[in-house]
């Protein structure tokens, strides 16, 4: 202990420690504590635990951020029904879909109250205070039905796209749009993200198969690329913002992954860089939340309905000055006949896949080995929401269930946390699939009951 290594090798050695070991090392001596408090060590721990996209954020203290978020996670993991404050709002607008920015999900949000946005069947956009359970504002009725909704929590922005091709950007605190753009075709898919230099970008897929790249908040068109001969069904950005997955509505349309820089840089001209996958009948896709370039695709293998999961790594190379994008399959498996075909899926660290099978939730390796099977629902699971920490399921049995990743396990494992009613003391049948989302302190669910009654149910953890 008396031998004092130089700072550089000490920092390298400490980079292999987990958070608990790093905290213990900091108690050995003042010199060790100065090394253990190095900001980039805690930044790496935050990226490893939550998201690789966090690395570019500016925060006062990465160590404090890690400890604060970990404490909130532990509170949520131990929580039971009585530990939540319950709020609900009955809405005559007919709530359809929630998309939220939750302060606990993003470090740049600080202590801002969680807000959730919903779209109504009367073409209105509404913002709600989750903790207080009331509506903050509601927009005037829009000329056409809103087909797409996305949020950018870091900038407090909301984006909508309607059936007439009208794109709008809103401030989360105001019912008036900041900017409006009219496209020639209906909006069918939407994705929004921040670039490495903190520049917000909006991408729109339309009914003509085009992908439009827009500046934010001005909604100026940067590029327009024709991707398919059918509507763009899905746009999904990778966690490191380097790739955009796109698929069409037609079952025989081959999906593509675009190199994001080629859609953002005018120097590429109209020649966007992409790789096409020889896969048909793609039904779902999920980027690995903790890997830079890995995605898993769920597809029907044949006309008999067999389901296959294929996991690929995407790379970009520049041999001889010519940039090419390629995708390499690293694992795949086909579900056996005794497993019900999934409706939802998610991928966290890139080595496992989470998906539903009837009322069951399965955790399976990307090679097809079953790790865990959960039986908390009595009816089919109809939605699955996932972030790097949580897995949240809803079912037609009027309950939702929260799982969280067990960081202490050698292999990826889920821990069952709490089982909550979708709406308190209301066991009437659902007339539509319930949808739920969450962060480290809140759970929100949209429930539609018989009689066309819709409810926004909000659980907030008593901290």
């Amino acid at each position: 202990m008396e031998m004092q290594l130089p700072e550089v090798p000490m920092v390298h050695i400490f980079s292999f420690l987990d958070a608990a070991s790093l905290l213990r090392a900091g108690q050995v001596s003042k010199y060790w504590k100065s090394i253990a408090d190095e900001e980039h060590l805690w930044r790496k721990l935050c990226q490893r635990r939550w998201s690789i996209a966090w690395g570019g954020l500016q925060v006062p203290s990465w160590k404090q951020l890690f400890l604060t978020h970990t404490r909130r996670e532990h509170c949520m993991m131990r929580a039971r029904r009585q530990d939540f404050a319950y709020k609900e709002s009955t809405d005559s607008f007919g709530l359809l879909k929630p998309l939220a920015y939750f302060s606990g999900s993003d470090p740049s949000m600080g202590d801002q109250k969680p807000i959730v946005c919903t779209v109504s069947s009367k073409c209105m956009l509404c913002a709600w205070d989750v903790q207080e359970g009331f509506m903050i504002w509601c927009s005037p009725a829009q000329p056409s039905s809103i087909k797409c909704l996305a949020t950018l929590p870091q900038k407090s922005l909301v984006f909508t796209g309607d059936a007439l091709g009208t794109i709008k950007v809103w401030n989360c605190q105001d019912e008036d749009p900041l900017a409006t753009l009219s496209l020639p075709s209906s909006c069918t898919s939407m994705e929004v993200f921040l670039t490495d230099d903190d520049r917000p970008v909006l991408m729109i897929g339309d009914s003509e198969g085009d992908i439009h790249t827009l500046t934010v908040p001005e909604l100026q068109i940067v590029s327009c690329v024709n991707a398919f001969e059918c509507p763009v069904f899905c746009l999904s950005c990778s966690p490191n913002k380097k790739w955009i997955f796109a698929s069409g509505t037609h079952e025989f349309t081959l999906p593509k992954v675009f190199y994001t820089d080629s859609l953002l840089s005018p120097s590429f001209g109209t020649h966007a860089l992409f790789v096409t996958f020889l896969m048909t009948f793609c039904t779902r896709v999920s980027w690995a939340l903790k890997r830079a370039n890995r995605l898993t695709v769920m597809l029907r293998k044949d006309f008999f309905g067999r389901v296959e999961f294929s996991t690929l790594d995407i790379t970009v190379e520049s041999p001889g000055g010519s940039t090419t994008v390629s995708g390499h399959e690293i694992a795949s498996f086909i579900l056996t006949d005794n497993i019900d075909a999934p409706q939802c899926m998610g991928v966290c660290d890139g080595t496992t896949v989470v998906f539903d099978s009837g009322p069951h939730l399965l955790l399976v390796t990307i090679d097809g080995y079953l790790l865990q099977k959960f039986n908390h629902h009595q009816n089919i699971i109809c939605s699955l929401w996932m972030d790097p920490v949580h897995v949240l399921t809803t079912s037609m049995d009027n309950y939702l269930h929260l799982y969280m990743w067990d960081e202490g396990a050698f292999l990826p494992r889920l821990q069952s946390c709490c089982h909550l009613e979708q709406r308190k003391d209301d066991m009437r049948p659902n007339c539509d699939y319930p949808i739920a989302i969450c962060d480290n302190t809140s759970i929100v669910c949209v429930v539609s009951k018989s009689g066309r009654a819709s409810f926004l149910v909000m659980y907030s953890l008593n901290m």
Side-chain angles (χ1 to χ4, degrees):
M1 296 298 295
E2 294 179 357
M3 183 180 67
Q4 185 167 296
L5 290 175
E7 181 178 345
V8 173
M10 284 288 286
V11 170
H12 180 69
I13 293 170
F14 279 25
S15 69
F16 294 96
L17 300 180
D18 59 22
S21 301
L22 201 56
L23 290 171
R24 285 194 291 268
Q27 297 175 339
V28 171
S29 67
K30 290 182 178 180
Y31 177 63
W32 279 38
K33 186 178 188 307
S34 67
I35 302 297
D37 286 343
E38 286 278 351
E39 279 290 276
H40 79 274
L41 293 177
W42 291 96
R43 183 178 68 238
K44 286 182 64 177
L45 287 174
C46 286
Q47 290 179 273
R48 192 184 308 162
R49 176 70 181 107
W50 292 293
S51 172
I52 58 175
W54 281 25
L57 296 173
Q58 300 297 322
V59 298
S61 169
W62 284 100
K63 179 180 179 180
Q64 189 58 46
L65 176 70
F66 185 95
L67 296 178
T68 299
H69 277 258
T70 302
R71 181 180 63 84
R72 291 176 180 174
E73 285 180 17
H74 288 168
C75 291
M76 182 71 99
M77 188 173 289
R78 296 190 299 266
R80 295 296 177 262
R81 169 65 185 89
Q82 60 270 21
D83 298 321
F84 290 92
Y86 177 90
K87 305 282 186 179
E88 72 169 51
S89 178
T90 305
D91 189 32
S92 59
F93 301 144
L95 298 174
L96 296 180
K97 183 180 181 182
L99 261 292
Y101 25 83
F102 281 122
S103 58
S105 296
D106 194 293
S108 64
M109 298 296 290
D111 294 324
Q112 181 176 321
K113 286 186 176 181
I115 298 173
V116 63
C117 295
T118 61
V119 171
S120 79
S121 56
K122 294 187 178 180
C123 309
M124 297 179 181
L125 174 67
C126 304
W128 306 79
D129 185 311
V130 174
Q131 292 180 352
E132 301 299 329
F134 65 82
M135 183 190 297
I136 301 173
W137 57 265
C138 186
S139 74
Q142 302 301 296
S144 180
S145 60
I146 298 175
K147 297 296 185 182
C148 300
L149 174 65
T151 60
L152 189 62
Q154 303 92 330
K155 302 295 183 180
S156 299
L157 296 176
V158 187
F159 304 85
T160 57
D162 67 20
L164 296 178
T166 303
I167 311 300
K168 294 185 178 183
V169 54
W170 316 70
N171 186 299
C172 73
Q173 302 292 343
D174 197 342
E175 63 187 54
D176 296 319
L178 299 175
T180 301
L181 173 68
S182 294
L183 296 176
S185 303
S186 172
C187 176
T188 55
S189 56
M190 179 181 288
E191 180 67 299
V192 61
F193 58 91
L194 285 175
T195 61
D196 290 339
D197 57 357
D198 201 42
R199 192 160 43 104
V201 174
L202 177 66
M203 291 191 177
I204 302 294
D206 68 17
S207 58
E208 297 298 319
D210 294 330
I211 299 176
H212 306 265
T213 302
L214 312 174
T215 63
V216 174
E218 303 85 2
L219 298 183
Q220 301 279 337
I221 296 179
V222 177
S223 66
C224 178
V225 175
N226 182 253
F228 309 109
E229 297 299 319
C230 62
V232 181
F233 170 70
C234 172
L235 288 176
S236 179
C237 184
S238 63
N240 66 347
K241 320 305 181 210
K242 194 172 183 177
W243 314 103
I244 300 290
F245 175 90
S247 63
T249 55
H250 196 284
E251 292 179 331
F252 290 100
T253 300
L254 302 180
K256 300 176 180 179
V257 170
F258 288 85
Y259 184 44
T260 306
D261 282 353
S262 71
L263 300 175
L264 295 176
S265 302
S267 59
F268 281 93
T270 58
H271 303 289
L273 300 178
F274 62 89
V275 59
T276 301
F277 297 134
L278 300 179
M279 300 175 176
T280 55
F281 299 98
C282 293
T283 56
R284 293 288 186 273
V285 65
S286 178
W287 289 99
L289 299 175
K290 296 185 179 182
R291 297 288 286 267
N293 63 333
R294 181 167 294 181
L295 81 160
T296 298
V297 180
M298 181 170 72
L299 57 148
R300 280 190 289 135
K301 184 65 177 175
D302 48 39
F303 287 102
F304 299 102
R306 292 190 302 168
V307 175
E308 179 182 6
F309 289 87
S310 177
T311 300
L312 307 102
D313 280 348
I314 314 300
T315 58
V316 59
E317 299 174 349
S318 301
S322 176
T323 304
T324 59
V325 180
S326 58
H328 307 280
E329 185 179 74
I330 62 167
S332 66
F333 67 94
I334 299 175
L335 292 185
T336 57
D337 294 336
N338 62 330
I339 298 179
D340 294 335
Q343 304 298 317
C344 323
M345 63 167 289
V347 180
C348 187
D349 69 345
T351 65
T352 57
V353 185
V354 180
F355 58 88
D356 66 286
S357 178
H360 311 296
L361 184 71
L362 306 183
L363 176 64
V364 179
T365 68
I366 57 175
D367 297 307
Y369 178 73
L370 178 64
L371 295 177
Q372 288 178 289
K373 181 178 181 178
F374 298 97
N375 307 297
H376 294 104
H377 289 294
Q378 302 300 315
N379 206 329
I380 62 168
I381 294 174
C382 47
S383 77
L384 185 154
W385 184 90
M386 183 170 151
D387 68 7
V389 178
H390 314 90
V391 175
L392 184 62
T393 58
T394 65
S395 169
M396 297 300 283
D397 62 4
N398 294 303
Y399 283 92
L400 57 87
H401 199 92
L402 177 67
Y403 306 85
M404 295 180 68
W405 292 101
D406 184 358
E407 284 297 301
F410 178 73
L411 293 173
R413 294 188 69 82
L414 285 172
Q415 178 175 328
S416 172
C417 295
C418 55
H419 197 67
L420 301 173
E421 293 173 285
Q422 291 170 13
R423 182 171 185 252
K424 189 176 180 181
D425 301 326
D426 187 352
M427 299 306 292
R428 287 180 297 167
N430 290 321
C431 63
D432 198 359
Y433 282 173
I435 305 173
I437 51 179
C438 75
D439 69 353
N440 281 340
T441 60
S442 310
I443 300 174
V444 179
C445 185
V446 169
V447 184
S448 299
K449 294 292 185 179
S450 57
R452 301 184 63 82
S454 293
F455 303 91
L456 186 65
V457 175
M458 293 161 275
Y459 287 95
S460 295
L461 189 62
N462 298 316
M463 300 294 289

